[in-house]
């Protein structure tokens, strides 16, 4: 399988076949402005010293300061971070926020660290990166396995090093510590707004049967929001597997079940599923909300959905993309569908810089307008260039970035 950055470049290749861009711009856009790798020494609780690898890729800042999350995962490596930073540049342009694209990470399984070790590691990442960060330079945020508490440690460390008290250098902070109302559910909610904006145009029923892969921040919030709007979630999974009920799952009870048993399986009135089986369940909308490269040329022919809402980053390989396109399954692409998170992160940055605190209603109202506008512009581009929504989205982003560069 190709690495995520090779997949991202393949997406770019496909876009320039549909629309002509200045070749020099495209050549420049094939490389990040800067990628930084640091070694982070951490004193472990047992007194030993461990060195971790940390990354920050600053892809493109034509539209504003670099913006993008920090991921803690044992598989994190430079090509993954580069791809995620590239997608952030595209995503911020589609969302029409004054931000460029960046991404960071640490190769670590945070679950094996104590809280103290995790805090020292997180502060270590900031010490190593402080020179390149700042509210007008590079503004990180949470991603997989990084939490508001971690963002708070990082913001605190940055303030200690630089004296900058705006707290605008990190977003996704806890409420009361510079965080924005609504940041928690923002990605899932923004994804729902995209779906809702395009539902009728994509020929989807008023009440959809939805399958969600992932039971974390994004997947769980999305599941709850779909149900709150009258749709049913008939299957959902976490890393260990999933559960299926064709009449719809009760998500609150499922959360309780996972709390008490430690897993989703064995949930009453449901059938256990493997993650492979979950992606093949017949449904109206399939929502990958876990990790990249989940739908490949091997399983794409077995996908039985009317549409896909990509809330994870890069869950569908370019080969699978082609197969699904030929099957006539529209994909609301990640760079559009999960841009609600970075949009509310941008709201948080703006509030910090202005010393304001907006209500949740204000945040969600603004988010709705922006997601709706982005979804419709992407849809129009798809029609205008007789192509899929992913290429339509990339064209919108590349036009905005190119004109600024
Ligand atoms: P998270 O760590 O909160 O949740 C990830 C979930 O995926 C967990 O429930 C985990 O058990 C599950 N999982 C892992 N491997 C799986 C597998 N093979 N099959 C099924 N489930 C699996 O992370 P998150 O913040 O929800 O992020 C999920 C995805 O959304 C990532 O691709 C991330 O980059 C993307 N994303 C997140 C945000 C955000 O605001 N958090 C914004 C944009 C994009």
């Amino acid at each position: 399988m190709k690495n995520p950055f090779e997949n991202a470049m393949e997406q770019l290749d496909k876009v320039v076949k549909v629309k002509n861009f200045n070749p020099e711009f495209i050549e420049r856009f094939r490389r990040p402005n800067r990628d930084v790798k640091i070694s982070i020494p951490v004193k472990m609780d047992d007194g030993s010293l461990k060195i971790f690898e940390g990354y920050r890729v600053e892809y493109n800042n034509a539209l504003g300061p670099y913006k993008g999350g920090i991921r803690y995962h044992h598989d994190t490596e430079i090509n993954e971070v580069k791809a995620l930073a590239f997608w952030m540049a595209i995503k911020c342009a589609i969302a029409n926020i004054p931000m460029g694209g960046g991404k960071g990470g640490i190769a670590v399984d945070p679950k094996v660290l104590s809280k103290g070790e995790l805090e020292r590691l997180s502060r270590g990442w900031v010490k190593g990166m402080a020179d390149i960060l700042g509210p007008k330079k590079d503004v990180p945020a949470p991603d997989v396995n990084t939490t508001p508490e971690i963002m708070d440690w990082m913001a605190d460390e940055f303030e200690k090093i630089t004296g900058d008290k705006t707290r605008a250098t990190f977003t996704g902070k806890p409420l009361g510590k510079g965080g924005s109302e609504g940041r928690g559910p923002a990605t899932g909610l923004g994804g729902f707004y995209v779906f809702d904006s395009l539902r009728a145009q994509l020929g989807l029923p008023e009440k959809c049967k939805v399958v969600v892969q992932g039971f974390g921040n994004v997947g769980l919030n999305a599941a709850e929001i779909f149900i709150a709007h009258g749709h049913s979630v008939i299957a959902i999974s976490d890393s260990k597997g999933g559960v299926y009920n064709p009449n719809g799952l009760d998500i609150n009870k499922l959360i309780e079940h996972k709390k008490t048993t430690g897993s989703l399986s064995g949930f009453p009135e449901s059938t256990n599923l493997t993650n492979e089986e979950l992606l093949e369940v017949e449904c109206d909308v399939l929502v990958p909300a876990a990790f990249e490269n989940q739908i490949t040329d091997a399983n794409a022919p077995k996908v039985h959905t009317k549409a896909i809402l990509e809330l994870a980053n890069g869950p569908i390989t370019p080969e699978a993309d082609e197969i699904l396109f030929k099957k006539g399954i529209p994909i609301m692409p990640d760079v559009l569908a999960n841009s609600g998170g970075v949009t509310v992160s941008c709201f948080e940055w703006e509030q910090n810089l202005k010393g304001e605190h907006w209500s949740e209603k204000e945040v969600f109202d603004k988010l709705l307008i922006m997601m709706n506008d982005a979804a419709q512009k992407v849809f129009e581009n798809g029609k205008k260039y007789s192509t899929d929504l992913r290429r339509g989205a990339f064209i919108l982003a590349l036009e905005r970035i190119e004109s600024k560069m």
Side-chain angles (χ1 to χ4, degrees), residues 267-324:
F267 183 58
E269 293 176 32
S270 75
T271 318
N272 292 340
L273 289 175
T274 64
N275 262 307
E276 292 72 41
E277 288 166 339
L278 176 115
L279 296 170
E280 296 164 17
V281 169
E282 193 170 341
C283 59
D284 299 311
V285 189
L286 174 61
V287 184
F291 274 99
E292 56 265 17
N293 288 341
Q294 296 300 302
I295 303 178
T296 64
D297 50 351
N299 61 0
K302 296 182 231 160
V303 166
H304 291 292
T305 181
K306 294 192 183 112
I308 297 180
L309 180 70
E310 273 189 332
L311 292 188
N313 284 309
I316 301 176
T317 65
E319 295 77 16
D321 223 30
E322 284 306 315
I323 295 169
L324 297 167

Side-chain angles (χ1 to χ4, degrees), residues 8 56 78 93 141 186 312 354 403:
R56 186 72 183 167
I78 189 65
K354 290 180 175 165
S403 76

Side-chain angles (χ1 to χ4, degrees), residues 71 84 88 91 103 111 142-146 183-184 186-188 213-220 237-241 258 275 278 288-292 294 311-314 338-339 341-342:
R71 176 176 289 198
L84 292 163
M88 283 306 297
K91 197 181 299 186
K103 201 81 182 187
K111 292 190 186 101
D143 189 61
V144 174
N145 287 327
T146 45
R183 176 60 185 90
T187 305
Q213 185 199 42
F215 204 70
N217 172 304
V218 178
L220 199 47
S237 65
D238 65 13
S239 55
K240 293 185 212 142
K258 186 169 172 176
N275 262 307
L278 176 115
F291 274 99
E292 56 265 17
Q294 296 300 302
L311 292 188
N313 284 309
N338 69 27
S339 64
V342 72

